[in-house]
Amino acid sequence: MFEVTGLSKSFGGLKALENLDISVKSGEVMGLIGPNGSGKTTTINLITGLLKADSGKVQLDGKDLTNKAADIIAKLGTARTFQNLRIFSRQTVRDNIRVAQTTLCKSVFSKFVPFLTDEERAFRSETDALLNEFELSHVSHKRAESLSYGEKKRLEMARALALKPKILLLDEPAAGMNPLELDWLAETIVGLKKSGLAIILVEHHMKLVMKICDRITVLNFGNKIAEGNPKEITNNKDVITAYLGKDHTIA
Amino acid sequence: MAYYTALFEISGLNILLALSVFATLMVGQFSLAQVGFWSIGAFVTAILTTMHGMPLYSALIISSILCGFIGLLLGYPCLKIKGIYLTLATVAFAEVVRVFFNNLNYQIELGDRMIGPAGALGFRGVKVIAAWPEIYLVLFVIVLLFILLASSRLGMSINAVREDETAAAAVGINVTKIKVSMFMFGAAIAGAGGGLYASYSSYVLAENFSFHMALVSIFYVAVGGMYTFSGPIVGAVVLTLLPEVFRFAADYRMILYGVVVIIVVIVFPRGIVDEIRYRIEQRSLRHDTFSDNKTHNKNKKLPDEGIK
C-alpha cells in the first residue's frame, strides 16, 4: 500500500501542490492527469526525493519515505521514469540495467568483484529476462545512445524495473510513441499491474489513461479536483471545466 | 642509458599525477587540487623517510591515507559547488598548500647538519630510495585498482554518476558517497605519487607544485582521453616524451611542443585513446547496420511487428 497524505509544495509564492492525498494498492494503476503546470511531475519529484516537500507524508507499506534522499527512496522500493529521457547513454543497454541492480547486492563482493559471486548469476538471468521482456536483447551490447527513441523509452522502463520496486512511477511514458508502440505500452503496463506492482501513471494521452487506469486523480493548479474510475472522471464537470474552460457545452 | 631510465621514471610519476586527476574526473569533477595533494605527499613522505627513518612503502601508505583524509575534508563541502566554481575552490586549496609548505620550517639535527623543510629554500637532501622499480610497482597496484573498478558494479555506478546524477540517484546510487570516495581516491593517488617524487628527486620545493603543474596535469587527461583510465596514461607518456623529441630545437622546443599539443587536440578532440576507440566503434556500427539490413527479415523483432 502506497500512501501520500497532505503533500504540499510551494516555489516562492507559487503553490505547486496543495494537500494532495493519493493511495495506490499493489496491482492497481492510478492515473494522475491534469493540464500543464497542474503539479503532476512535481508530485512525482516530491515522492522520489528530487524535491523536498513543505509538508505532508509519503508512506510505502508503513515505511516513511517523506523527504528522504532520492537513492534511499529508490532502495526502499520506489522506481520511476523521467519525462525527458534520462538513460546512461554512453553505457551499453545491458549495463544500464545492471547498474540499477547494484542496490540489490547483498554482499559487498558483488560490488567489487561481481564475476566471483553467485549472486551475479541470478542478476544476469534477471537482466536477460528484462531485456527479453522489453525487446532489447538484440541491442543489449550497443551503447544506449545509439538506440531509437522508442527503444530508449523501453530501456528506461526496464531499468526502473531492475530495482524490483513495489511502486512504479511513470512520467509520460507514451510521449512520442507511435500507435503500435502505444499498444505495446498498454499491454506492458497491464502485465506489470497483474504481477502485483502498484503504478502511478502521469500521462496526457487520454485514450491510454482511460483504457488502463483503475482509478484516476485529476489535478488543477496544484489541487486535487477529482478522483474516481475512468467513467466517473470522463463525466465529471470540474474536470471538463479544467481541461476545456467554463463555457464549453457538451454536444 | 641513464637518460632513458630517467625518462622512464618521470613518465611513471606523471602517469600517477594524470591518474589522480582522472579519478576525480570519473565522477565529472574537474579538480586542480591534485597538485596540492601531490605536494602534501611529497613533504610528508620526505619527512617520514629522511627525518624519522621510516621505510619507503610505510611512508607512502601514510601519505596516501593522510591525503585521502584531507580529500574527504575538502571533497565534502566541495560537493555543493559545481563546474568552474569547484575548479576555483580546488585551485585555492592547492595555493593554500603551496604557501603553507613555502613557510614551513621544521628541522631536526641529523648527523652533523640540520635537515628538514626550510621554508622557501625547500627540503634538501631527501633520502633517495625510489627509482623505476618502486615507481612502477606503485603504478602497477593503482592500475590494478582501476582495472578492478572498470569491471565492477562500483565502476558502473561511477559512470552513471558521471553521466547523470539525477538518474543515478533514481536507481539507488548514493551520489554523494561515490563523489567523495572518488575525490579521496584521487587525493590518495596524488599522495603516493608525490611521495615517490620526493624519494626519487632528493629535493622538494613547494614552488615546483604550482599552478603550472596543475595545468599540465589536466593536459595529460585532455590529450590522452578522459573516458577510460588508459587515456591519462597515454596522455602523460606522450606529453612527457614530446619535449624530449624537440630537444634539437633548443630554446624554441616549447613552441614546437605547444604546436603539437594544439594539433593533437584538433585531430583527436576526444583525446587520443577515446578518439581512436570512437572511430573504431563507428566503423563497426556502420558494419553492423549493413549486416542488419541483410538479415532484416529473419531477425527483426520490434514491437511494431509483435503487436497487432
Side-chain angles (χ1 to χ4, degrees):
Chain A
M1 183 76 160
F2 178 78
E3 262 186 310
V4 173
T5 40
L7 200 65
S8 301
K9 173 76 185 175
S10 43
F11 299 107
L14 176 78
K15 283 185 175 152
L17 202 63
E18 245 189 308
N19 247 333
L20 179 70
D21 298 326
I22 313 178
S23 68
V24 193
K25 289 191 290 268
S26 63
E28 188 180 37
V29 181
M30 163 70 87
L32 194 59
I33 63 171
N36 286 327
S38 58
K40 305 178 298 289
T41 298
T42 304
T43 307
I44 291 204
N45 285 346
L46 286 171
I47 291 171
T48 52
L50 293 191
L51 291 172
K52 298 282 173 242
D54 297 337
S55 61
K57 242 184 173 174
V58 182
Q59 282 179 308
L60 178 61
D61 295 336
K63 277 176 290 184
D64 187 34
L65 303 185
T66 325
N67 288 348
K68 292 238 162 72
D71 56 300
I72 299 194
I73 291 174
K75 274 178 206 160
L76 288 172
T78 312
R80 68 170 291 178
T81 63
F82 292 88
Q83 192 174 355
N84 42 347
L85 282 169
R86 281 178 179 273
I87 49 170
F88 304 122
S89 49
R90 293 205 57 169
Q91 301 193 47
T92 63
V93 170
R94 177 177 286 277
D95 280 355
N96 262 274
I97 294 174
R98 286 184 68 206
V99 75
Q101 296 168 328
T102 306
T103 52
L104 303 171
C105 290
K106 287 194 189 71
S107 84
V108 194
F109 289 111
S110 309
K111 286 188 186 169
F112 293 99
V113 279
F115 42 89
L116 289 180
T117 57
D118 289 343
E119 211 177 4
E120 192 62 24
R121 219 164 299 141
F123 280 137
R124 201 184 165 78
S125 58
E126 276 165 28
T127 311
D128 288 338
L130 276 172
L131 285 170
N132 248 329
E133 195 184 334
F134 286 85
E135 300 175 44
L136 293 164
S137 303
H138 61 298
V139 288
S140 68
H141 64 283
K142 282 195 183 160
R143 285 200 185 186
E145 63 191 350
S146 67
L147 299 187
S148 73
Y149 186 74
E151 285 169 334
K152 283 180 184 166
K153 284 235 148 192
R154 300 208 295 274
L155 173 60
E156 206 189 24
M157 268 181 89
R159 187 184 68 187
L161 288 170
L163 283 166
K164 292 195 185 162
K166 297 191 185 88
I167 176 151
L168 179 65
L169 301 114
L170 298 170
D171 198 352
E172 299 199 19
M177 281 193 166
N178 66 36
L180 291 159
E181 286 171 327
L182 277 178
D183 286 344
W184 172 87
L185 181 69
E187 260 179 44
T188 307
I189 293 177
V190 170
L192 291 173
K193 164 188 145 173
K194 279 183 186 147
S195 73
L197 198 63
I199 297 171
I200 292 182
L201 174 70
V202 169
E203 191 48 74
H204 278 301
H205 197 287
M206 284 309 144
K207 256 191 194 163
L208 180 78
V209 171
M210 296 304 166
K211 193 169 142 196
I212 60 176
C213 290
D214 300 301
R215 279 184 308 131
I216 296 171
T217 298
V218 189
L219 293 179
N220 194 23
F221 294 117
N223 290 299
K224 177 151 98 175
I225 55 171
E227 189 186 328
N229 63 35
K231 212 171 176 190
E232 290 162 3
I233 295 297
T234 337
N235 299 322
N236 187 305
K237 273 213 180 86
D238 290 338
V239 176
I240 295 167
T241 312
Y243 268 93
L244 301 172
K246 255 208 170 84
D247 296 328
H248 185 84
T249 45
I250 302 163
Chain B
M1 195 59 213
Y3 168 69
Y4 292 106
T5 316
L7 276 185
F8 185 55
E9 288 162 336
I10 293 168
S11 299
L13 290 169
N14 287 341
I15 291 171
L16 283 171
L17 181 61
L19 285 176
S20 114
V21 172
F22 174 70
T24 56
L25 270 176
M26 275 174 91
V27 285
Q29 287 175 308
F30 192 74
S31 159
L32 289 171
Q34 307 321 106
V35 173
F37 293 118
W38 188 272
S39 179
I40 294 173
F43 276 99
V44 170
T45 305
I47 289 170
L48 290 176
T49 56
T50 311
M51 295 162 74
H52 301 283
M54 195 180 267
L56 176 68
Y57 293 111
S58 332
L60 288 181
I61 289 168
I62 291 179
S63 306
S64 283
I65 292 172
L66 178 70
C67 284
F69 180 70
I70 298 171
L72 173 70
L73 296 184
L74 178 68
Y76 206 81
C78 276
L79 279 178
K80 298 254 181 280
I81 45 182
K82 285 197 168 97
I84 185 85
Y85 300 103
L86 171 72
T87 310
L88 286 176
T90 53
V91 170
F93 167 78
E95 278 301 289
V96 168
V97 172
R98 189 180 63 84
V99 173
F100 174 79
F101 284 116
N102 223 356
N103 289 293
L104 181 69
N105 232 317
Y106 162 61
Q107 289 158 308
I108 53 171
E109 211 176 319
L110 215 69
D112 53 348
R113 59 195 186 118
M114 298 295 283
I115 205 155
L121 292 176
F123 190 157
R124 280 164 200 283
V126 178
K127 232 192 248 173
V128 179
I129 39 179
W132 67 268
E134 287 79 14
I135 294 169
Y136 278 85
L137 179 68
V138 173
L139 187 57
F140 175 74
V141 171
I142 287 168
V143 167
L144 216 59
L145 284 176
F146 273 104
I147 292 173
L148 203 63
L149 215 54
S151 64
S152 71
R153 285 185 171 271
L154 193 65
M156 274 192 303
S157 308
I158 290 166
N159 282 338
V161 170
R162 184 220 286 248
E163 283 199 43
D164 190 331
E165 289 179 24
T166 309
V171 294
I173 296 168
N174 188 336
V175 175
T176 311
K177 206 161 122 190
I178 294 235
K179 282 176 113 176
V180 175
S181 316
M182 287 315 285
F183 204 82
M184 289 171 70
F185 184 43
I189 296 172
L196 282 167
Y197 167 81
S199 314
Y200 164 76
S201 70
S202 88
Y203 176 38
V204 190
L205 186 64
E207 286 302 322
N208 284 346
F209 312 121
S210 60
F211 187 65
H212 176 255
M213 187 177 169
L215 277 184
V216 171
S217 70
I218 297 288
F219 274 15
Y220 294 154
V221 187
V223 167
M226 48 181 89
Y227 207 73
T228 51
F229 68 88
S230 47
I233 294 178
V234 170
V237 172
V238 167
L239 289 188
T240 309
L241 300 185
L242 204 54
E244 302 306 319
V245 176
F246 294 130
R247 279 267 176 217
F248 65 87
D251 285 350
Y252 298 102
R253 69 191 169 112
M254 289 321 272
I255 298 177
L256 291 178
Y257 173 90
V259 169
V260 171
V261 169
I262 291 170
I263 292 172
V264 166
V265 170
I266 291 171
V267 178
F268 303 98
R270 292 174 175 80
I272 297 172
V273 171
D274 290 342
E275 185 69 30
I276 292 172
R277 196 176 284 236
Y278 174 79
R279 297 249 171 101
I280 293 172
E281 212 168 81
Q282 288 297 308
R283 190 164 298 168
S284 74
L285 218 64
R286 242 174 283 144
H287 183 77
D288 262 14
T289 322
F290 184 64
S291 57
D292 267 3
N293 284 340
K294 274 197 290 192
T295 52
H296 181 261
N297 294 328
K298 272 185 273 170
N299 286 343
K300 204 180 175 209
K301 67 167 206 195
L302 286 171
D304 23 324
E305 291 185 7
I307 297 166
K308 283 166 224 171

